[in-house]
Every structure is written in structure tokens, then in C-alpha cells.
Amino acid sequence: MRKESWPALIGLLLLLNLALLGGPRARMVLPTWPPPTPTPAPTATPSPTPTSTPTATPTPTPAPTPTCAPGRWEHASLPIPTLGRELPYQVYLPPCLDPGRRYPTLYLLHGYPYDHRHWDQLGIDEAMTAGVRAGRWPLFLIVLPGFPDDLYIRTSGGPGSVESVMMEALIPEVEARYPAMPARWARAIGGISRGGVWALEIALRHPEAFASVGGHSPALSVNKAPPAYDPLILAQEADLLGLRIYLDAGDADWALEGARQLAEILKARRVPVRFEIRPGGHDDALWAGALEAYLDFYTEPWK
């Protein structure tokens, strides 16, 4: 380096030194940078608390409601070779019959000039079914036989009559064909008007076969039977021990006096008898209105 260059170099170094020392004349300005913006710490997103899904309670399947067969009528006929004809009859099978059991049986005879449908028309099956469902009466069968006029009106008892048909043909037929209990305590017989006379004649001549008998407005005052078949005579002589007897008539009923006379004969012999006088005459309205009372009487030994 040439000697004349040294002074210039030295001056330049002095200026640089002054700048570094912050001298008043010259200062090196260093660039400034903004402080770094802090990166925010990531906020932890809370994991949702798992919600338990309720387990559905299973709905129990309802047990089937016990059901039973409804009550119904069955219609049949009975061949009577000695008469050369068939007699119609119908049997009411009440609801809920157990096929493995046998039941008491109530035989009901129609009035004249009606036929075997008389008691059905009065409403005996509806009354009986309502009472059974209400627990008022036990289950039992109802049998309604029908008889032609020549047999019903022109015979009084014994062979070839309603009595022999009932005792020798119909009752055995019913007890063989239907679940009917073949025992005295399980049988009852009743009837209206002319049927009331027949019911009394049959039961008073066969007290060993029936627990109960009912004469409803029995037509005793016009009955022209021989003494051997006349209920008013039989009531004085027959051994009626254990036979329950029910008599009733209307206060305007022409059959009242005959029913009253029979009741007095029985009471004189100290034979238990139920005798009732109802408002009304000799007609369907009287008997239909008394159906529940009749069934109370007939079913009493079967409870």
C-alpha cells in the first residue's frame, strides 16, 4: 500500500468507531422487529360425556283372557215307537261347560196351547245366563220338551202319557246324550198351567227321582184326572219326604184357587211348600216376571 493512503484509512476507522460508540454526529440505526406474536396454546375440547342409552323395558305380552263357549240351544227329537211319532225338545247348554263334568238338569214343561218353545220365548235362557255369569246360580242344563195336544190334554198319567214319555224315554235320553247328572238331587221339574199339572203329577208319583218340583199357575181347577193321577189326591197320600215343592199364581189368575188348595193340603201334612201370590193374571207377563224367583228355587240344592 502506498504511504499517502494511510491517513485516509485511519480517518475512516475513526469515523466507524464513533458510530459504534453512539457519537453525536453519526449513529448506526439497527432495524427493529416486532416481537413474535405468541401462538396460543390449543384449547382442549372436552370430550362429551357419553350418555347412556336407556334400555327399553320389554312390554310383557298380555296373557290371553280366558274364554269359554257361549251358551246355546241344541234342538233334537225323540222317537216314541208306541206313539208312532217323534217328540221335539231343546236343551240349553249354558256358557263355560266343562266337557269332563256332569251337571244338574231342569225340565220345564210348556203351557197349553203353547209348544216346547214357550219357556224360551219367556226368556229363560237369558235369565239363566245372566244369573250364572253374576255368580248367582251354578251351571245347569235346561230341557224343554214338546208334546202334541192329544197326549198333553187327553191323557192324565201312567202308560202312554206324558208321564211315561218323560220317565221312560226323555230323561234317559238326555242323561245319555248330554252331560246331565243321573241323580235325584240333580233333577228338577216344573211347568206352567197344564205343564204345571204334569210336573206335579210326575214328581208326586216319582218323588224318588226329583229334588224339586214347581207348579206355576197350575191348571188344577180344570184338571179331570183319575184319583191315581190327580195331584190334589197324590198330595194327601204320597211319601214326599225330601221333595221340595213350589206353587205360585197371580192374584187375578184363574189358577190361583187350585194352587192355594194344593198348598193347604201339603201344609196340613206338614210337607214343606213354598206358596206365592204375584200381581197379575194367567199370562206370559206373570211368568216372565218371575223367572229369577223360579230359578232361585230350583237351583238352591245345587249351590
Side-chain angles (χ1 to χ4, degrees):
M1 179 179 295
R2 290 166 35 185
K3 290 184 178 180
E4 58 270 21
S5 301
W6 281 104
L9 178 61
I10 291 171
L12 179 61
L13 292 173
L14 288 173
L15 288 171
L16 179 62
N17 186 45
L18 287 172
L20 293 173
L21 294 175
R25 290 185 177 268
R27 174 177 299 177
M28 180 177 288
V29 179
L30 297 177
T32 59
W33 304 94
T37 302
T39 303
T43 303
T45 303
S47 300
T49 304
T51 304
S52 59
T53 303
T55 303
T57 303
T59 302
T61 302
T65 303
T67 58
C68 57
R72 70 186 189 278
W73 286 109
E74 286 198 359
H75 299 264
S77 60
L78 178 66
I80 307 295
T82 56
L83 299 178
R85 68 182 70 188
E86 293 191 355
L87 300 182
Y89 69 95
Q90 59 189 65
V91 178
Y92 186 66
L93 303 174
C96 305
L97 282 186
D98 180 347
R101 290 185 53 194
R102 286 184 172 267
Y103 296 91
T105 307
L106 172 59
Y107 296 86
L108 293 174
L109 309 184
H110 58 85
Y112 177 80
Y114 301 95
D115 59 18
H116 62 286
R117 296 168 294 184
H118 190 192
W119 284 91
D120 185 5
Q121 293 163 351
L122 292 176
I124 190 67
D125 53 323
E126 290 87 355
M128 183 263 212
T129 298
V132 166
R133 291 193 181 279
R136 181 172 178 174
W137 307 311
L139 294 177
F140 60 98
L141 312 184
I142 298 176
V143 180
L144 308 182
F147 299 94
D149 290 355
D150 56 347
L151 195 69
Y152 214 48
I153 302 300
R154 299 182 180 91
T155 67
S156 301
S161 72
V162 170
E163 176 193 347
S164 63
V165 171
M166 288 289 301
M167 299 306 300
E168 299 170 13
L170 181 64
I171 292 176
E173 160 88 1
V174 168
E175 293 178 350
R177 184 171 179 175
Y178 296 95
M181 177 68 72
R184 178 197 186 191
W185 68 267
R187 297 190 199 102
I189 186 169
I192 290 171
S193 192
R194 178 59 178 163
V197 174
W198 275 117
L200 292 166
E201 187 270 342
I202 292 169
L204 296 182
R205 279 175 50 84
H206 302 275
E208 76 289 345
F210 300 95
S212 308
V213 59
H216 310 300
S217 300
L220 294 167
S221 60
V222 295
N223 186 38
K224 306 302 180 184
Y229 308 123
D230 186 345
L232 294 172
I233 303 301
L234 293 170
Q236 301 175 39
E237 302 171 352
D239 181 0
L240 305 178
L241 182 64
L243 180 64
R244 303 171 64 249
I245 303 173
Y246 186 141
L247 302 170
D248 73 312
D251 55 7
D253 188 341
W254 58 259
L256 174 59
E257 289 311 310
R260 191 197 308 273
Q261 183 180 356
L262 180 56
E264 291 173 352
I265 291 170
L266 293 168
K267 289 177 181 178
R269 291 188 61 197
R270 300 187 183 278
V271 174
V273 58
R274 184 179 304 182
F275 175 53
E276 295 182 357
I277 302 175
R278 307 179 184 284
H282 195 87
D283 53 39
D284 283 352
L286 176 76
W287 307 314
L291 290 178
E292 291 184 1
Y294 297 163
L295 293 178
D296 280 339
F297 168 77
Y298 289 122
T299 61
E300 192 172 316
W302 303 338
K303 296 177 180 179

